[in-house]
């Protein structure tokens, strides 16, 4: 039997070993990482809400009103007023009949996908779908089919091949792909899923807060919200707090309440978390939220133009290739006070290691110029 030390040594040899890096203080534009002070280009806190004064106040208020823990799963006695307030806000903003919240996005994906499809059904995923969606599909017992990233021809063929049965077919895609920062061909995907009578789950983890007049995501921006059967997302990225949600028709949500194992067999998230997330959504649609979104897009447009890469989201990949090279570049930037994470196998395919630059509304022009100087000299 191979011992743990040997397995870790193997990871080390391939430059694939991961270790935790410790952050001092709050998430913000400037952080202390492993004791070094520098600029944070590594957070998904796109609007800079994680350390927002109003949200800190909301969290404290939530604790005052409801204590720190929820004490039970939602179906026992853990469904508290704050969870209901959050869900009402989500369905109002998404324009759906109902919504359901979870402790985080991971639990949302796993619980929802495995509740909505099962043995005999089919899940069709974009090849670059997030691990949580893949895990949900595996757990469901449904047949899993994968189409190459954004490849509509292949998606059409897959839909065709399973359209003859009366079992459920669920197409899954993300609005923004988390490691490449590019977007789904949502209009075409919707046309196809409608043509073949399939359902669509859209994961807006990196879309919420970033796109659309109200910041409700790519589906809002493209005017396609009502065509999405299952809206999904996290409240831990642009919303700056923690949690996950789905939104859609009442029966879909009720089915997840009844069959979503990560929902049923888990203590409800702290009510103060749900309350703060609700306040974060209010902030996202407010004038201030709009202003922060504009600032974020100014930053995206500026940096992508300077680095001559596409800027379709707040995630800008700087391609390197080999894992060792990406790690070395990350280290050298870190020593110069710039934090950009290296992303490598197995998160992305081998030989496609990259630095994953994430921008927020908090970055200044000078911050971006500093990064550009270090990357392209
Ligand atoms: C981060 C992420 C999740 C998981 O959300 P958490 O709240 O972090 O658990 C799900 N899907 C995608 C695409 C993500 O990027």
């Amino acid at each position: 039997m191979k011992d743990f030390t040997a397995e870790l040594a193997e990871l080390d040899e391939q430059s694939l070993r991961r270790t935790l890096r410790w952050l001092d203080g709050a998430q913000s534009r400037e952080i202390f990482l492993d004791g070094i002070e520098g600029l944070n280009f590594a957070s998904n806190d796109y609007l800079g809400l994680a350390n927002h004064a109003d949200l800190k106040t909301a969290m404290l208020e939530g604790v005052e009103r409801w204590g720190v823990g929820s004490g039970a799963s939602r179906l026992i006695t853990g469904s508290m007023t704050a969870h209901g307030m959050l869900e009402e806000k989500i369905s109002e903003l998404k324009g759906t009949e109902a919504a359901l919240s979870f402790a985080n996005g991971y639990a949302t994906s796993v619980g929802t996908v495995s509740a909505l499809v099962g043995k005999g059904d089919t899940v069709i995923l974009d090849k670059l779908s997030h691990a949580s969606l893949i895990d949900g599909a595996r757990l469901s017992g449904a047949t899993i089919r994968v189409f190459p990233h954004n490849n509509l021809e292949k998606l059409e063929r897959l839909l065709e091949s399973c359209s003859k049965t009366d079992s459920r077919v669920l197409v899954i895609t993300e609005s923004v792909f988390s490691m490449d920062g590019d977007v789904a061909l949502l209009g075409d995907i919707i046309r196809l899923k409608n043509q073949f009578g399939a359902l669509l789950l859209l994961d807006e983890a990196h879309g919420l807060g970033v796109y659309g007049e109200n910041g409700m995501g790519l589906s809002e921006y493209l005017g396609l919200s009502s065509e999405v059967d299952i809206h999904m997302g996290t409240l831990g990225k642009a919303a700056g707090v923690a949690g996950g949600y789905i939104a859609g028709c009442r029966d879909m949500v009720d089915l997840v309440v009844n069959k979503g194992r990560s929902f049923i067999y888990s203590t409800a998230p702290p009510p103060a978390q749900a309350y703060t997330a609700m306040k974060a959504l209010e902030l996202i649609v407010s004038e201030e939220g709009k202003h922060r979104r504009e600032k974020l897009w100014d930053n995206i447009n500026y940096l992508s133009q300077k680095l001559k890469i596409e800027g379709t989201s707040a995630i800008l990949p700087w391609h390197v290739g080999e894992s060792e090279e990406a790690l070395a570049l990350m280290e050298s930037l870190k020593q110069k006070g710039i934090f950009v994470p290296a992303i490598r196998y197995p998160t992305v395919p081998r030989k496609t290691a990259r630095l994953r630059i994430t921008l927020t509304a908090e970055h200044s022009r000078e911050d971006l110029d500093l990064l550009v100087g270090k990357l392209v000299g």
Side-chain angles (χ1 to χ4, degrees):
M1 189 169 67
K2 182 161 66 177
D3 66 23
F4 300 146
T5 316
E7 189 167 349
L8 285 167
E10 261 173 34
L11 289 174
D12 248 337
E13 248 162 56
Q14 303 167 60
S15 293
L16 296 178
R17 180 158 178 180
R18 293 151 186 247
T19 47
L20 293 171
R21 305 185 303 157
W22 299 100
L23 176 72
D24 255 348
Q27 265 313 325
S28 59
R29 178 186 144 261
E30 270 196 302
I31 51 173
F32 273 94
L33 195 67
D34 295 337
I36 302 174
E37 187 179 15
L39 290 170
N40 185 2
F41 288 103
S43 159
N44 303 316
D45 178 25
Y46 302 125
L47 299 178
L49 302 188
N51 194 32
H52 193 288
D54 294 355
L55 298 183
K56 292 202 282 192
T57 305
M59 184 72 91
L60 293 171
E61 194 191 328
V63 170
E64 284 297 334
R65 282 172 78 175
W66 297 291
V68 293
S70 57
S73 73
R74 290 284 300 276
L75 286 167
I76 307 298
T77 55
S79 238
M80 300 170 74
T81 310
H83 301 118
M85 290 165 81
L86 170 61
E87 287 160 2
E88 244 171 62
K89 182 57 68 182
I90 294 167
S91 57
E92 174 200 323
L93 294 178
K94 285 279 177 186
T96 58
E97 265 175 30
L100 191 68
S101 64
F102 292 72
N104 54 60
Y106 184 88
T108 308
S109 298
V110 169
T112 301
V113 176
S114 61
L116 296 182
V117 289
K119 209 166 176 308
D121 297 329
T122 305
V123 181
I124 306 179
L125 301 118
D126 186 290
K127 175 98 168 65
L128 296 187
S129 292
H130 190 261
S132 62
L133 298 164
I134 297 167
D135 292 356
R138 286 186 181 147
L139 189 65
S140 74
T143 303
I144 300 176
R145 311 301 298 269
V146 173
F147 59 100
H149 181 47
N150 265 339
N151 185 325
L152 299 168
E153 265 170 49
K154 182 70 195 222
L155 171 61
E156 181 165 7
R157 264 180 282 139
L158 288 174
L159 280 165
E160 221 161 19
S161 73
C162 55
S163 65
K164 311 279 183 295
T165 63
D166 55 4
S167 56
R168 229 170 259 158
V169 178
L170 177 65
V171 176
I172 295 181
T173 187
E174 293 171 26
S175 53
V176 177
F177 288 83
S178 54
M179 294 302 139
D180 292 74
D182 62 337
V183 298
L185 302 173
L186 195 56
D188 292 313
I189 292 172
I190 285 172
R191 178 177 53 77
L192 287 173
K193 73 100 187 169
N194 283 340
Q195 184 185 335
F196 291 98
L199 297 166
L200 174 66
L201 183 153
L202 179 66
D203 181 346
E204 292 256 25
H206 301 277
L208 183 78
V210 176
Y211 301 91
E213 180 64 16
N214 289 321
M216 285 302 111
L218 190 68
S219 52
E220 183 201 348
Y221 177 71
L222 297 173
L224 294 169
S225 280
S226 62
E227 300 284 331
V228 175
D229 303 285
I230 303 121
H231 293 271
M232 188 230 133
T234 169
L235 300 162
K237 287 170 180 156
V241 192
Y245 67 85
I246 51 166
C249 70
R250 175 92 262 159
D251 288 346
M252 183 279 288
V253 166
D254 285 350
L255 196 58
V256 177
V257 168
N258 280 273
K259 297 185 77 181
R261 295 171 67 86
S262 65
F263 179 83
I264 299 168
Y265 300 105
S266 184
T267 301
Q273 173 188 316
Y275 180 70
T276 313
M278 183 213 53
K279 289 290 185 187
L281 291 174
E282 285 179 350
L283 218 161
I284 285 174
V285 298
S286 72
E287 279 309 309
E288 182 187 336
K290 288 191 176 83
H291 181 71
R292 284 176 179 264
R293 220 163 2 266
E294 276 164 22
K295 181 78 197 308
L296 171 65
W297 278 101
D298 273 351
N299 284 343
I300 296 168
N301 294 332
Y302 183 77
L303 189 70
S304 60
Q305 187 214 329
K306 288 281 173 190
L307 293 180
K308 300 189 171 58
I309 53 184
E310 245 189 296
T312 42
S313 72
I315 303 164
L316 300 173
W318 182 255
H319 288 279
V320 179
E322 298 293 340
S323 291
E324 308 88 82
E325 285 171 44
L327 286 180
L329 184 56
M330 171 176 75
E331 249 335 288
S332 95
L333 287 174
K334 182 174 156 190
Q335 296 308 324
K336 293 168 189 148
I338 295 177
F339 303 130
V340 194
I343 307 286
R344 57 208 145 122
Y345 181 82
T347 308
V348 294
R350 289 185 195 274
K351 298 194 185 297
T352 70
R354 67 204 63 177
L355 295 188
R356 178 179 181 269
I357 305 165
T358 50
L359 293 178
T360 78
E362 303 269 281
H363 288 122
S364 68
R365 261 305 137 83
E366 293 73 49
D367 297 344
L368 304 185
D369 285 336
L370 208 67
L371 175 62
V372 171
K374 299 286 184 278
L375 283 178
V376 295

